[in-house]
Amino acid sequence: MSRSVPTRVSEIPTPALVVDRAALDRNIARMAAFFATGSCRLRPHFKAHKTPEIAKRQLAAGSCSGLTCATVGEAEIAAAFCDDILLANEIVSPEKCARVAALAARVRMTAAIDSLAGLAALSRAARDRGASIGVLVDLNVGQGRCGVEPGEAALTLAQKAAQSERIVLRGVMGYEGHLQPVRDRGERESRTHVAMNGLVDTAKTIRAAGLPCEIVSAGGTGTYDISGRVDGITEIQAGSYALMDTDYSSVGVPFEPAFWVLGTVVSRPARERCVADCGHKSMTKDHSLPGVRGIVGATVTSLNDEHATIALPPDSTITIGDRVELLPSHVDPTINLHDVFYVVDGPTVVDVWPIAARGYLEHRNRTRMEEPA
Ligand SMILES: Cc1ncc(COP(=O)(O)O)c(C=O)c1O
């Protein structure tokens, strides 16, 4: 049985994810304007929102070289409307590499590598498919996650990539994820410059060895305007800026909250608190509890599976059935919990956007796309 699409915010079934279209477009325009000057391009990270309608707005705003994705499933969804995709992640299993190769037969695909095993897996899949897959050597620029060390180790892997069948060496990437949340701007700047120097120097070493290094990719919402102005960085992979979360708001980047989780008050058991129907099954607690939008003095004191408990100012008149708007602390894991965005303009629902690439399981996404021929 299909339910009719609500036309008013008050009719949206809760808990629900809401995006303020005007705020989203302002964030997208602000970022595009930054990259409209200088030589560095933006490659928005699709993993943040997994929503084709948002990605299309980012691409339409200009200054973009394509999209960044984290998973093969995201890339499969993105390939329907974007012809240049960076998988900023190590893809190693034969099944996933075959899917990357199938995509590479249709669009320009580039994936991160940090091992000979990963390189060999992509090369095999590309050969089997008769496609060419681009690679970036992934460097550990201080985050301590994936990536080879800058310098010699990176050059050795780049040389192997350049010799590999059906592999196109396109450059290097180094995500300074550990620096995105650094609150002090001066510290964030100086540490980002150190991290980016290692990346840019490695790119120079690779070129000096006679190898191509057209892409030097880095950055996120916390460092886009630092890494994005470092000479030699060619692309920035920022994602959260379009929607924003409370964690990034406290870092002090110039973007506004454009989404929230809408809940309904289901209990007002005491003067000083109410309880809404949106717990951590509808938003993450990663980083911190959510903020409360539009009720001065209200704070979320706990999230349970289906409940948000909210401490209220003494004079609050909020009552059962009223709506609350909670601002999540982290964009990506919150959006991954929902199927759609309700797109609003004030009190009016103007659209509903599928979060087409959401979900934890790659095979879930596969059911939504064409099987490779
Ligand atoms: C590889 C990579 N690049 C870029 C980003 C930047 O994303 P954001 O702008 O949302 O911080 C992330 C975020 O986790 C990432 O993992």
Side-chain angles (χ1 to χ4, degrees):
M1 195 175 76
S2 70
R3 282 182 299 183
S4 60
V5 176
T7 55
R8 313 282 302 164
V9 171
S10 56
E11 297 163 359
I12 297 174
T14 60
L17 206 56
V18 169
V19 59
D20 176 336
R21 190 176 57 183
L24 171 75
D25 285 345
R26 282 192 296 272
N27 287 341
I28 290 173
R30 185 180 275 264
M31 189 62 111
F34 178 85
F35 285 99
T37 60
S39 58
C40 189
R41 303 277 90 189
L42 175 66
R43 191 184 278 275
H45 214 318
F46 187 54
K47 85 180 173 81
H49 50 72
K50 293 172 174 270
T51 304
E53 290 308 317
I54 295 179
K56 288 178 196 170
R57 291 173 111 80
Q58 290 172 308
L59 294 173
S63 313
C64 294
S65 52
L67 286 178
T68 308
C69 292
T71 68
V72 182
E74 288 169 6
E76 285 163 344
I77 301 279
F81 56 88
C82 175
D83 60 8
D84 191 334
I85 294 171
L86 167 63
L87 256 166
N89 235 341
E90 280 67 17
I91 309 299
V92 300
S93 72
E95 188 267 343
K96 287 188 182 177
C97 289
R99 289 161 61 193
V100 174
L103 286 171
R106 293 164 46 200
V107 299
R108 186 171 127 125
M109 282 301 300
T110 306
I113 53 164
D114 73 353
S115 69
L116 290 176
L119 173 61
L122 284 173
S123 176
R124 253 190 317 272
R127 193 194 54 213
D128 291 350
R129 182 74 195 197
S132 293
I133 300 175
V135 293
L136 299 187
V137 175
D138 188 6
L139 306 193
N140 174 19
V141 293
Q143 187 182 22
R145 194 170 66 181
C146 297
V148 294
E149 293 307 307
E152 271 309 305
L155 175 61
T156 303
L157 189 53
Q159 283 165 333
K160 295 284 184 199
Q163 294 157 5
S164 295
E165 204 182 340
R166 294 276 175 182
I167 292 293
V168 181
L169 174 65
R170 296 216 165 103
V172 290
M173 68 164 257
Y175 174 53
E176 69 283 29
H178 57 306
L179 303 178
Q180 303 304 318
V182 172
R183 281 2 187 206
D184 181 79
R185 171 80 197 185
E187 183 190 344
R188 197 157 79 246
E189 271 180 20
S190 57
R191 293 179 63 192
T192 298
H193 281 128
V194 172
M196 292 303 102
N197 286 344
L199 185 60
V200 171
D201 285 351
T202 300
K204 288 180 186 157
T205 304
I206 289 172
R207 287 187 202 111
L211 298 175
C213 194
E214 119 208 23
I215 296 177
V216 183
S217 179
T221 298
T223 59
Y224 76 96
D225 59 345
I226 307 169
S227 300
R229 289 289 185 252
V230 169
D231 203 23
I233 301 294
T234 67
E235 296 188 357
I236 293 295
Q237 313 173 356
S240 299
Y241 72 94
L243 292 160
M244 283 296 285
D245 52 42
T246 58
D247 198 58
Y248 265 132
S249 291
S250 60
V251 169
V253 290
F255 304 101
E256 56 188 296
F259 90 115
W260 50 87
V261 172
L262 186 71
T264 301
V265 174
V266 293
S267 176
R268 174 89 200 255
R271 214 164 73 96
E272 71 282 358
R273 82 172 185 275
C274 71
V275 181
D277 62 352
C278 42
H280 58 69
K281 285 186 187 170
S282 59
M283 83 201 84
T284 187
K285 294 200 272 195
D286 189 26
H287 299 320
S288 67
L289 290 168
V292 182
R293 184 175 183 270
I295 309 176
V296 178
T299 51
V300 175
T301 55
S302 71
L303 282 187
N304 303 117
D305 288 349
E306 322 286 354
H307 298 97
T309 302
I310 302 171
L312 297 168
D315 57 346
S316 172
T317 56
I318 196 162
T319 188
I320 289 171
D322 284 352
R323 296 305 177 93
V324 290
E325 297 169 339
L326 301 190
L327 295 164
S329 59
H330 194 171
V331 170
D332 311 43
T334 297
I335 282 154
N336 201 40
L337 297 169
H338 294 260
D339 287 325
V340 296
F341 269 112
Y342 289 91
V343 187
V344 303
D345 179 3
T348 308
V349 178
V350 292
D351 215 340
V352 179
W353 291 340
I355 302 169
R358 83 91 152 176
Y360 291 100
L361 301 172
E362 288 292 299
H363 61 75
R364 187 174 173 281
N365 289 330
R366 291 208 76 190
T367 62
R368 303 181 185 185
M369 55 140 209
E370 282 178 20
E371 291 287 323

